[in-house]
Amino acid sequence: MKRLALLLVLLWSAWVFAQDKGTIPDRYMNDPAVDLTRHGKLLMPDEVHKLREDSKGRFDISTLNPEESSDLWKDTFVKSLPLDKNPVIDMDEVSYHSPVLSPSGIFRFNITNGGDGKLYTMMLSKNVHSVLLAKSLLRKIGYQIPDIKYLPRVIIKFKNEADKKGFTSYLENVAFAGAAKNWVIEELEDNKLLLQDLVIMDSNHTIYNLAVGVTSDMIQSRRLLSSLAVPLSIVNLTESVNMLRWNVGVKDGNGIALFHDQLPEFQCTWDDARWISRRIEKLTREDWKEIVDSTHIPKAVQMILVEKLISRRNSAMKLFKVDADELKVDSNISNGVELVNGKLTQQNWPGYASRFAYGDPDSPLADSEMRSFLKSRGISTLLDLVVAQINQLPFLGTDIQKINNEKFQEQVNKVIADSVGKQLPEELPLKSWIFPTFRGQLILSRNLVTGTYLGTDNLVQLVDTVGVAVGAGAFVGVMGLPTPLNAYASGEALMMRTYAHLRPVTSIQKSLKYPFKNIMIPLVQRDYGQKLHSAATIALDPNASEETRVAKIEEALKPFKDSMDVGESILITDSLATYAGAKVGAGYEKFITASVALSPGHQVVSRFHVHRKTADTFQIYRDLGNVGSFGLSFTLDSLIPVLDVSYKKSAGHARVKFYQLNLNAKNPDVIKNASLLRRAIVSSSTRDIEEDEKGKPFILKHNFKEQSPQMKLFFWQWQWLNSSTNISVTNPKGDERFFRRQYHGITKGKNYQSYVNQLISHWVNLIFERKAGLSEGGSNPGYSYKGSGETRYLTLDEELTQTGKKIEPFVKLSRIYNGWSIDRKKAEKILDDMKQRYRFDFFNAPVLNDTRRIFMYNISLNIFFYKNGIETLLSMKDDQIKQIFRENMQQKNLMINPATVEDADTGVDKFIRFLTRFRKYEEKGDSVKANKYLLKALSQAELKVNLKGMIALMGGEENIYMNSRIDGFREGDEDGDKAIVSNSLGEFGSSNILGPVVQVQRQSEMIEGEFFIYWMMTRLI
C-alpha cells in the first residue's frame, strides 16, 4: 500500500511539474500539494481534493500545514534571529581550495580554515545580501536554514601567482559575478588577496539551504517548498535598492505574476501562496527591521529597504487575498544625506561590492536636454522659413496673388472707364476670371519628432526630409460679391517625390551632431549600399571553420550595422494628387476675417520603406494606395488665429508587400541577403527580392472609409475619428485570411507648438503677405512641445470567412493620457481618478514614489471585450439590461438605492437604442453601420455603469479583461525607462489575447504603422 501511495505521489508530482506556469493561478486548480496534514495525518492529494469538494468549496485547504517530519520546517515563529556560527571571523586568513559550480552571476569557492582544518564554502555575488534577507525571513516563519555568516573582509591565500590570477579570471569570465575590483580591496604579498563583502557557510549541508536557491527538481509538489515563491519574491533584491519595486507583483489575467525570474520553477499554487502569505502576515515591523539588520548593509540602505519590503509584504497580502492589517509604509523616508525622499543618492559604499544604487537612466527629454531641444527647434524653424521663401521665388511658380490683383484691377478699370464714358455711377458687376497656374517646390527639412510618424513606431526620432514637387492647375477669381464677401476657386495636379530618413533618438545633444550633409538622403542610400557591397563580396575560404566564417562575415557587416541603427527607416515616397477647392470669406480690413472652404481631392501614393527591426532583421515594405477625400472647413481669425473647424471624409484602398531579410552572420543566406538588401536600398525597389525564390512576401490589402471632424480654439484642440476598413492578409505560402476593423474615438488637449506655428505664419502673412511654411505638427496634442492630450477610443476587430461571416469579434476600449511631461503629483491624480472611477486598485503600491516627472508620458487604461461576452450582451433582454444599469450606475460619492433610480437617469435608454440600431443594420447586412452602433453602445455603457456593471453585461470576468500601464521616461527613477504594468481584472477570453487583427499583425512581425497603413489613414494616437 505504501508503494502504491508513493507511486501516486510521484505521478502527481510529475503531472504538476509538467504544467508550464508563468504565473501563480488565482484560484484552486485541483492541484493540492502532496505534503499536507490534518489532525496529524498526512493526506494524499485526492483526499485533500475530496475535503474541498465535499464541503462545496467551503473548506479552505490553504489552512493546512505541510508535514513537520523533515528538518526543513517546523510550525514555529522565531522571536529573535539566531547568530550564524562559523569559526572564520573578520580579517581572518584562509587558504583557497577550489571553485564550486554555481549559477551565472554567483562565484562560490571552497577554502580551508587554518584554525580547524575544515573545508568551508565562500560566496561572492552582487545578490549576496538578498541571500541574507532570504535566510532571515525564512527562519522567522519556521524554516530551518543552515548558517550563512557575513564576512566584511577576509584574506585569501593562494598556493602561487597562477592560482591567484586564475581566481580573479574565474570570477569575471566563468562565474560572471562582476569585476574583480568590486571584491578585491588589495593584493597582498605572498600570493594573498584581501576581499570584502562575502559570506561563508559549511561546504556540506545535511538539509537544503533554501536561502541560496530552490530548483524545480527539489520541489516535487510539496507546499513546504513550492510556497517559497512568495517570500523569495518579496526579498528578491537586485543590486540597486532603488530599482527594487514597491510591489511584489501584479495580477495578470487569471494568475499572479510575482517579480521573480524563476517563478515557474516553484510550481506554486494559489493555496500554497495563501498558506505562506498568512505566515508572513504575522511578522511585525520590528521583525522586518531585524531581518534587514541581519544583512549588514549600510544603515541608510536599511532604512529604505525596510519600507520597501513592508510595502511588498502589503502587496502580497492584497494579491493573495489575505485579510491582513496593512503595515504602515513611509515611502518618503530620509536621513538628509545618502537617503532623500525614499531614494538612495549615493552609489559607492566603502566596504561593499554592491553599489545599492545605479543612478538614473538618460532621458532624451530631460531638463538637461531642453537647451539642445530648443536649439534643434530653432534650426528646424529657420530651415523651414528659408525653404518657404525659396519656394516663393517668381521663377518657381505662378504669383497667384499678383495676377489675381491685376485681373481684379483690369475689371475695376473697365468699370471706371464705362462710368466716365456714360457719366453715370457704375456698380462692380459679378465677374469671374480664370488663369493657369504652375509651381515647383523644394522640400528640405530636419525635425525632431515625438510620437509616431510616417508609419513608424519610434517615440522620439530625428527626421530628415528632402524632395521636389511640381504642380499645374488653374485659379478662378471672383469680384462683385456683396461687401465684405470675397471668393475664389482653384484646382491643381501635383506630383511629388520625397526621401525621408528617420533615426530613433536617445540623446538630443547627439542628434544635433548628426552631419547636415546627411539630409541629402540619396547620399545616405549610396553610403549604405557601398558598405553592404563590401560585405556581400567578401571572399570566404570554403575550408575555413564555421567559427572563422561567422567572424569574417560579422566583421564585414559591422560598418553597415554600425551606421544603420535599430529602429531606423528610409522611406521614398512618390505621390500624384489632384484637388479642387472653393473658398468664401469675409473680413473687416485685417482685424477680423472668416472663411468657409470646400476641398475635394484624390491622391495616389507609392512608397518604398526599409526598416531595421532588430540587430539582424531588416524589413522592406512596398506600399501602394489611393484615397479620395472631401473636406469642409471654417476659420475665424483676428490679429491672432481664433477658431478652425473642419470636417473630412475619405475613402480608399491600399496594398502593402512586406519582405524580411536576416543578416545574422550564422544564417547560410546572409551573403545573398546582404546583396538583396543593398540592391533594394540603392534602387528603392523590391524587384530583385521578388525574383529570388525565397522572396515571397506577406501581402496586405485595405479597403477603408473614414470621417474626421476637428476643431481648434486658440491652442485647445479636439479631433473625432470614425473609420472602417476591410483587411486581407496573404502569407508567403499563399494562405489568405480576412478581417474587419471599426474605429470610434476622440482626442482632446492643448497644442501650444501648433498654435505658435499658426501664429507666426499668420503674422508673416499679415505683415509681409508671404507664406511662412511652418508645419503645425502631428494631430495628437500630447506629442507636441509642452502639450498634453486625452484620448478615448474603441476598436472592433473581427476575423471573417471569405464570404464575410464573422468568426471572432473583439472590442478594445482605451483611455489614454499623454503629453510632453507631467509631475508625480498630477500623474498620481490620474491614477487615483481611474481607481475611483472603476473602483479597482490598479497599482497597490506607491509605484511612482521615486518619480519626479515623467517625460513623453502615456498613462493608459485598456478594456478588452471578448466574443463570449459580446454574444452574452447581445442575447440579453431589455429588462435585464435596465436592471444592470440601475444597480450599477456610475456614482462619484453617494451610494444611491437602486430601487429609487429611474431608467431615464441611468443612460440605459440610449444604450438600448444603440443596440437596436446595431441589430437593424446587422439584419440588413450593413456591417459598417452595425459595428459603429455596437461601439457606441459599449462606449455608453463604460460611461454610465461601474466596473461591476460592465462585468455583468459581459456575463462574467471570464469574458472581459482590464489593465493599466504607465509608459514614458520617469525622471528620478533608476528603472525609469521601463513601463509599469498594473494589476489586471478579468481573464483573457481568447487565445487571441489582443484580438484577431493585432494577433496576425504580431505574427507577421510587421510594424504597426505599416500594418494599419497609418501613412494613409488617420490615427488619433
Side-chain angles (χ1 to χ4, degrees):
M1 189 66 185
K2 288 184 177 179
R3 290 182 179 179
L4 178 60
L6 179 60
L7 177 61
L8 288 173
V9 167
L10 292 174
L11 287 173
W12 189 275
S13 300
W15 179 85
V16 173
F17 177 67
Q19 310 308 303
D20 181 15
K21 300 179 181 178
T23 60
I24 298 173
D26 67 351
R27 68 201 66 184
Y28 177 68
M29 301 289 289
N30 192 12
D31 50 1
V34 301
D35 60 342
L36 304 183
T37 63
R38 189 179 188 219
H39 304 317
K41 177 191 173 185
L42 179 64
L43 302 176
M44 294 300 294
D46 60 332
E47 293 178 296
V48 177
H49 180 67
K50 188 174 185 301
L51 270 174
R52 189 179 186 281
E53 291 301 300
D54 289 348
S55 68
K56 298 181 180 180
R58 288 188 287 270
F59 182 79
D60 187 354
I61 64 174
S62 70
T63 59
L64 298 177
N65 281 339
E67 62 175 334
E68 298 183 63
S69 60
S70 75
D71 293 329
L72 288 175
W73 178 80
K74 301 296 179 185
D75 187 12
T76 60
F77 288 89
V78 176
K79 187 174 182 180
S80 297
L81 292 170
L83 295 175
D84 293 281
K85 298 176 183 177
N86 192 287
V88 181
I89 61 174
D90 184 36
M91 288 301 292
D92 270 3
E93 180 178 311
V94 297
S95 298
Y96 177 73
H97 184 273
S98 59
V100 177
L101 187 63
S102 309
S104 180
I106 297 174
F107 182 25
R108 286 186 293 198
F109 56 94
N110 289 331
I111 57 94
T112 304
N113 179 30
D116 57 11
K118 289 184 178 180
L119 202 65
Y120 296 97
T121 298
M122 288 186 167
M123 185 173 82
L124 300 177
S125 171
K126 293 290 183 71
N127 72 346
V128 70
H129 299 284
S130 183
V131 171
L132 295 172
L133 277 173
K135 173 199 70 176
S136 298
L137 174 56
L138 296 182
R139 283 179 175 176
K140 277 284 185 181
I141 59 177
Y143 284 84
Q144 311 302 303
I145 307 297
D147 289 330
I148 306 175
K149 184 177 180 179
Y150 179 73
L151 290 176
R153 294 162 300 178
V154 70
I155 298 170
I156 308 289
K157 180 176 175 57
F158 298 88
K159 292 180 181 178
N160 49 52
E161 182 71 15
D163 279 0
K164 185 175 75 171
K165 290 183 177 179
F167 175 86
T168 56
S169 176
Y170 192 100
L171 186 156
E172 293 181 343
N173 304 314
V174 179
F176 299 109
K181 65 180 182 180
N182 293 325
W183 288 275
V184 178
I185 301 175
E186 185 179 354
E187 292 195 28
L188 306 175
E189 296 179 353
D190 299 327
N191 299 317
K192 298 177 184 177
L193 292 177
L194 176 59
L195 304 183
Q196 67 175 356
D197 198 25
L198 67 166
V199 295
I200 186 169
M201 63 195 85
D202 288 342
S203 58
N204 293 303
H205 303 297
T206 58
I207 59 173
Y208 293 135
N209 194 332
L210 302 177
V212 176
V214 179
T215 58
S216 57
D217 60 319
M218 293 165 51
I219 293 171
Q220 299 176 354
S221 293
R222 289 182 286 177
R223 171 168 290 179
L224 184 66
L225 299 179
S226 65
S227 63
L228 291 175
V230 178
L232 294 184
S233 294
I234 291 176
V235 296
N236 185 26
L237 176 64
T238 56
E239 181 185 3
S240 171
V241 176
N242 282 344
M243 292 181 70
L244 184 68
R245 304 189 191 191
W246 290 88
N247 55 329
V248 71
V250 295
K251 186 179 184 301
D252 184 16
N254 54 6
I256 307 298
L258 299 180
F259 301 140
H260 197 294
D261 292 339
Q262 282 78 46
L263 181 62
E265 295 187 19
F266 288 94
Q267 307 141 38
C268 185
T269 70
W270 172 249
D271 294 294
D272 294 341
R274 281 170 54 79
W275 170 78
I276 205 165
S277 294
R278 284 197 183 93
R279 298 192 69 82
I280 295 171
E281 181 267 333
K282 298 184 184 301
L283 301 182
T284 66
R285 170 172 278 274
E286 294 306 313
D287 288 321
W288 287 103
K289 284 184 178 180
E290 186 183 8
I291 290 168
V292 172
D293 184 63
S294 70
T295 62
H296 302 278
I297 57 179
K299 292 300 180 183
V301 182
Q302 288 188 32
M303 290 171 66
I304 184 58
L305 186 55
V306 167
E307 304 304 324
K308 285 199 169 186
L309 292 182
I310 291 177
S311 178
R312 290 164 75 89
R313 170 265 188 202
N314 291 342
S315 169
M317 298 305 115
K318 293 177 182 177
L319 289 172
F320 296 111
K321 297 183 179 178
V322 174
D323 186 14
D325 291 334
E326 189 169 294
L327 296 182
K328 187 177 179 181
V329 175
D330 182 2
S331 59
N332 292 313
I333 191 170
S334 300
N335 70 357
V337 185
E338 306 99 337
L339 177 64
V340 178
N341 293 328
K343 182 178 179 181
L344 294 169
T345 59
Q346 180 175 315
Q347 294 187 35
N348 297 309
W349 301 79
Y352 295 91
S354 297
R355 292 164 60 185
F356 302 117
Y358 289 153
D360 299 343
D362 293 332
S363 164
L365 299 175
D367 288 343
S368 59
E369 297 270 297
M370 281 301 97
R371 185 177 300 173
S372 298
F373 176 80
L374 294 175
K375 183 178 179 181
S376 171
R377 291 302 310 165
I379 293 172
S380 298
T381 301
L382 181 61
L383 184 59
D384 288 345
L385 289 169
V386 170
V387 171
Q389 302 320 303
I390 292 174
N391 286 332
Q392 292 174 76
L393 293 174
F395 64 85
L396 281 179
T398 304
D399 190 337
I400 294 175
Q401 187 172 2
K402 178 182 176 183
I403 295 175
N404 192 52
N405 287 340
E406 290 174 352
K407 296 284 187 182
F408 178 84
Q409 193 60 48
E410 285 178 15
Q411 298 297 327
V412 171
N413 291 341
K414 285 182 181 179
V415 173
I416 293 174
D418 289 346
S419 177
V420 171
K422 296 177 180 179
Q423 297 294 311
L424 293 172
E426 292 277 345
E427 292 185 0
L428 289 176
L430 182 62
K431 287 271 189 179
S432 66
W433 54 88
I434 184 170
F435 57 87
T437 63
F438 78 93
R439 62 168 166 149
Q441 184 177 355
L442 170 67
I443 300 165
L444 187 69
S445 67
R446 167 168 287 185
N447 289 295
L448 198 65
V449 175
T450 53
T452 55
Y453 185 74
L454 291 178
T456 60
D457 298 337
N458 299 315
L459 184 61
V460 184
Q461 49 197 342
L462 182 69
V463 181
D464 286 336
T465 307
V466 64
V468 293
V470 178
F475 183 90
V476 179
V478 179
M479 68 177 287
L481 293 173
T483 304
L485 294 179
N486 60 79
Y488 68 83
S490 64
E492 184 181 41
L494 183 70
M495 290 192 301
M496 182 185 303
R497 164 164 277 209
T498 59
Y499 297 81
H501 187 195
L502 291 75
R503 296 173 62 92
V505 169
T506 56
S507 167
I508 296 174
Q509 292 179 6
K510 291 180 181 178
S511 72
L512 288 173
K513 298 176 182 178
Y514 189 62
F516 247 95
K517 67 178 182 179
N518 288 347
I519 203 169
M520 303 306 296
I521 297 156
L523 298 180
V524 176
Q525 289 179 270
R526 188 177 70 176
D527 177 56
Y528 287 175
Q530 289 174 345
K531 289 171 179 174
L532 280 169
H533 178 74
S534 299
T537 56
I538 60 168
L540 296 174
D541 184 354
N543 300 318
S545 67
E546 177 68 12
E547 185 178 344
T548 302
R549 176 182 174 278
V550 168
K552 190 166 184 179
I553 293 173
E554 285 180 342
E555 183 182 1
L557 286 170
K558 189 175 186 300
F560 169 68
K561 289 186 175 181
D562 286 349
S563 298
M564 189 171 188
D565 295 333
V566 173
E568 186 173 331
S569 287
I570 292 177
L571 301 102
I572 296 90
T573 304
D574 293 308
S575 64
L576 173 62
T578 58
Y579 75 90
K583 186 174 182 178
V584 177
Y588 176 72
E589 295 185 349
K590 293 185 178 181
F591 291 106
I592 185 167
T593 60
S595 62
V596 177
L598 189 68
S599 54
H602 185 268
Q603 185 179 27
V604 178
V605 177
S606 174
R607 297 199 335 161
F608 170 83
H609 179 188
V610 60
H611 172 74
R612 187 176 184 183
K613 181 76 178 289
T614 67
D616 297 315
T617 304
F618 293 80
Q619 299 184 336
I620 299 99
Y621 299 89
R622 189 65 182 171
D623 307 329
L624 181 65
N626 73 73
V627 58
S629 62
F630 173 82
L632 184 66
S633 64
F634 169 79
T635 58
L636 176 65
D637 295 330
S638 182
L639 296 178
I640 60 173
V642 178
L643 178 66
D644 189 337
V645 180
S646 64
Y647 171 82
K648 184 178 180 183
K649 185 175 183 178
S650 58
H653 54 83
R655 185 201 66 202
V656 178
K657 288 186 175 181
F658 164 58
Y659 307 84
Q660 196 155 259
L661 296 174
N662 185 343
L663 262 59
N664 187 301
K666 295 180 180 179
N667 179 12
D669 295 327
V670 61
I671 299 300
K672 181 185 73 173
N673 287 348
S675 178
L676 290 173
L677 182 60
R678 181 194 73 81
R679 281 177 278 174
I681 291 176
V682 171
S683 65
S684 305
S685 168
T686 58
R687 184 183 62 235
D688 292 312
I689 300 176
E690 290 174 354
E691 292 176 354
D692 183 70
E693 59 180 8
K694 295 183 179 180
K696 300 290 186 182
F698 273 92
I699 300 177
L700 174 75
K701 294 179 181 179
H702 279 262
N703 193 352
F704 65 90
K705 295 179 180 179
E706 63 180 21
Q707 300 175 57
S708 181
Q710 188 172 2
M711 184 171 74
K712 299 177 183 177
L713 178 64
F714 299 109
F715 50 77
W716 287 284
Q717 184 174 310
W718 295 262
Q719 183 174 6
W720 295 262
L721 179 63
N722 288 285
S723 68
S724 64
T725 179
N726 290 310
I727 307 169
S728 71
V729 181
T730 306
N731 67 19
K733 295 179 180 179
D735 303 321
E736 189 172 14
R737 296 171 68 184
F738 303 90
F739 306 89
R740 182 188 296 124
R741 164 168 278 213
Q742 191 87 20
Y743 190 103
H744 172 72
I746 176 176
T747 187
K748 58 185 179 180
K750 300 173 184 177
N751 194 333
Y752 304 108
Q753 179 180 329
S754 173
Y755 188 70
V756 168
N757 285 351
Q758 277 185 279
L759 193 61
I760 293 173
S761 298
H762 186 68
W763 274 90
V764 168
N765 185 49
L766 283 177
I767 297 172
F768 303 106
E769 296 187 345
R770 298 182 72 85
K771 296 178 181 178
L774 300 181
S775 67
E776 295 184 13
S779 60
N780 188 285
Y783 289 140
S784 64
Y785 180 60
K786 297 294 184 181
S788 62
E790 181 180 342
T791 304
R792 181 177 180 270
Y793 71 89
L794 297 93
T795 57
L796 191 157
D797 292 342
E798 299 173 313
E799 183 166 9
L800 311 170
T801 65
Q802 191 168 2
T803 59
K805 183 180 179 181
K806 295 179 184 180
I807 298 175
E808 181 183 7
F810 168 85
V811 174
K812 174 185 175 184
L813 186 152
S814 296
R815 287 181 177 269
I816 299 172
Y817 305 85
N818 70 309
W820 181 266
S821 69
I822 190 171
D823 61 34
R824 170 186 165 184
K825 186 175 181 181
K826 291 180 180 178
E828 288 180 334
K829 175 68 166 55
I830 292 175
L831 298 185
D832 187 62
D833 288 346
M834 289 196 309
K835 178 180 178 180
Q836 297 304 321
R837 177 180 184 83
Y838 295 99
R839 296 293 191 264
F840 181 72
D841 198 1
F842 290 99
F843 302 94
N844 54 17
V847 293
L848 294 179
N849 189 76
D850 299 332
T851 300
R852 291 191 297 272
R853 179 171 290 275
I854 311 175
F855 289 95
M856 288 308 299
Y857 68 92
N858 185 305
I859 302 174
S860 61
L861 177 138
N862 299 294
I863 307 176
F864 303 156
F865 304 95
Y866 292 99
K867 177 183 177 181
N868 290 342
I870 295 169
E871 291 177 349
T872 299
L873 171 64
L874 296 177
S875 67
M876 282 186 179
K877 297 185 181 301
D878 289 357
D879 288 343
Q880 292 175 275
I881 294 173
K882 288 179 179 180
Q883 183 177 352
I884 291 172
F885 268 71
R886 283 196 301 270
E887 293 178 350
N888 300 281
M889 188 175 70
Q890 276 278 7
Q891 301 175 46
K892 291 186 177 180
N893 296 307
L894 297 177
M895 295 300 295
I896 301 173
N897 185 351
T900 66
V901 175
E902 298 291 336
D903 289 338
D905 299 326
T906 66
V908 70
D909 292 337
K910 191 174 184 180
F911 176 82
I912 292 175
R913 188 163 62 249
F914 286 146
L915 284 186
T916 301
R917 290 178 182 174
F918 163 78
R919 295 187 180 100
K920 170 186 171 183
Y921 288 110
E922 184 83 348
E923 289 175 2
K924 290 183 176 181
D926 190 340
S927 297
V928 173
K929 287 186 177 179
N931 289 344
K932 181 177 75 171
Y933 284 110
L934 179 57
L935 289 184
K936 286 187 174 183
L938 290 172
S939 175
Q940 174 75 356
E942 192 265 347
L943 290 172
K944 296 300 181 180
V945 301
N946 58 31
L947 187 55
K948 184 181 176 183
M950 294 292 292
I951 294 169
L953 289 172
M954 289 294 113
E957 290 189 11
E958 64 272 17
N959 300 323
I960 186 172
Y961 178 87
M962 181 175 70
N963 76 343
S964 180
R965 180 182 170 108
I966 304 171
D967 288 285
F969 301 98
R970 298 191 305 280
E971 186 180 63
D973 188 337
E974 285 191 12
D975 215 15
D977 53 354
K978 295 179 182 177
I980 300 176
V981 180
S982 77
N983 294 311
S984 68
L985 180 140
E987 301 177 17
F988 297 127
S990 167
S991 57
N992 294 324
I993 293 172
L994 299 176
V997 177
V998 174
Q999 186 77 6
V1000 76
Q1001 178 250 323
R1002 295 195 173 187
Q1003 288 173 348
S1004 71
E1005 299 184 355
M1006 294 176 68
I1007 60 176
E1008 185 180 342
E1010 285 284 358
F1011 188 92
F1012 293 108
I1013 60 168
Y1014 289 139
W1015 46 274
M1016 180 159 279
M1017 290 186 71
T1018 307
R1019 69 185 301 178
L1020 292 180
I1021 188 167

